[in-house]
Amino acid sequence: MNRLSSLLALVLVSATAFAADRPAGHCPFACAKPELVPARLRRIASLDWRQIDRAAIAGEWPEAPISSDHPGPGGMDGLALLLNSTACCCKTGQELAGAGFAVPGFRDRGPDSSGLWTVEVYLCRPNKKQAIDALNELVDAVVPEHPKSRFAASWDPSDDGQGVYAAAWDSGQERFVLEARTGPDPGRWTGSFWLSRRPPPGVLETWPMDDGSQVRVLRLKIDQSGHPREKVLQFAYLSECPIADRPCWSKEISAFWPRLRAKAEREGIRRVSLSVEDGALASTGFSARRGADGKWYGPSFFKY
């Protein structure tokens, strides 16, 4: 499940409880005052997410919609509701924020599914500098001084490109993954902030590496697909890197690729479909194919 899918799920399950009770002309969601958001995020991040319930969020962050198990309002899909809500909050100079209690990608994970899993904030600013400044306040509120990994690209107001900041860190027994993005929108810059707790991964097997690290395999199977049909090795693993940090996870893949390549060749497989997952809300994938010359070809960002 990617972050957009998670967001749409949050939007749909959050809307009924809030939109139904709001007067005509008001935003579908409650909007948060920008000056309050960093302190409230800092407070939420300091709590034990395994023990946080809806009552705690309602007390700590009254404006944040809290997900329920009810479907969204009829006649409006999740993306339309998100856009309308974000635009509405932007018009009032405020933020759209939400708290999610559903385990990302899972309906029922038993005892492990309790607690808070995501906090999301969406904002608008007149220019990139103000958008990055606002997102940096949120980042500083939650990211420890020395995270396990950190990545930034175009995180500078001096260029016009879309900016991304990502980080991952451990807190107690929990892994947290953060991704913040900003991009241009007609007449403004929008920003998004996702802070997610990673559920216990469903690891199929673990591969020890020469450097002492481990590859946690989530999926390893052979499928038939394509026209004409061919065998495809489907492989997914749990990365230690934020998905936005491609240099980081491409280095991981380069380390275990010889083992994966050898398995494909033993099975007579000429195509490998590989998925990188952060275990929280994001994933990315690509394919590698073996040519008639026996060499493997695909994206150039890691060594074959």
Side-chain angles (χ1 to χ4, degrees), residues 257 261 265 270-273 286-304:
W257 170 251
R261 178 187 60 204
E265 292 176 354
R270 307 191 70 85
R271 184 160 71 91
V272 173
S273 178
F286 60 91
S287 292
R289 180 177 288 278
R290 192 181 190 193
D293 58 2
K295 296 181 180 179
W296 287 84
Y297 298 89
S300 60
F301 47 73
F302 78 93
K303 298 177 182 179
Y304 288 87

Side-chain angles (χ1 to χ4, degrees), residues 221-282:
K221 63 179 182 178
I222 298 173
D223 282 339
Q224 295 276 349
S225 68
H227 299 285
R229 293 179 67 81
E230 64 175 346
K231 291 196 299 183
V232 179
L233 180 59
Q234 301 280 351
F235 181 87
Y237 82 102
L238 185 66
S239 175
E240 291 299 301
C241 314
I243 293 302
D245 190 353
R246 190 172 73 181
C248 180
W249 53 256
S250 63
K251 183 178 179 181
E252 291 178 331
I253 295 170
S254 295
F256 68 71
W257 170 251
R259 177 169 178 169
L260 189 61
R261 178 187 60 204
K263 178 175 178 58
E265 292 176 354
R266 285 196 305 271
E267 299 285 348
I269 295 172
R270 307 191 70 85
R271 184 160 71 91
V272 173
S273 178
L274 198 150
S275 178
V276 185
E277 301 188 12
D278 71 359
L281 294 171

Side-chain angles (χ1 to χ4, degrees), residues 133-203:
D133 286 347
L135 289 169
N136 276 336
E137 285 193 75
L138 307 186
V139 168
D140 291 343
V142 301
V143 178
E145 185 176 358
H146 300 292
K148 189 176 183 70
S149 62
R150 191 198 311 261
F151 173 79
S154 295
W155 203 246
D156 187 325
S158 63
D159 65 60
D160 295 328
Q162 297 185 11
V164 58
Y165 174 96
W169 64 92
D170 295 323
S171 179
Q173 300 177 354
E174 306 287 348
R175 164 62 61 91
F176 287 89
V177 179
L178 166 70
E179 185 174 302
R181 290 182 177 271
T182 184
D185 202 36
R188 65 187 183 186
W189 279 72
T190 57
S192 56
F193 174 97
W194 296 281
L195 176 61
S196 307
R197 175 168 65 115
R198 188 163 75 182
V203 175

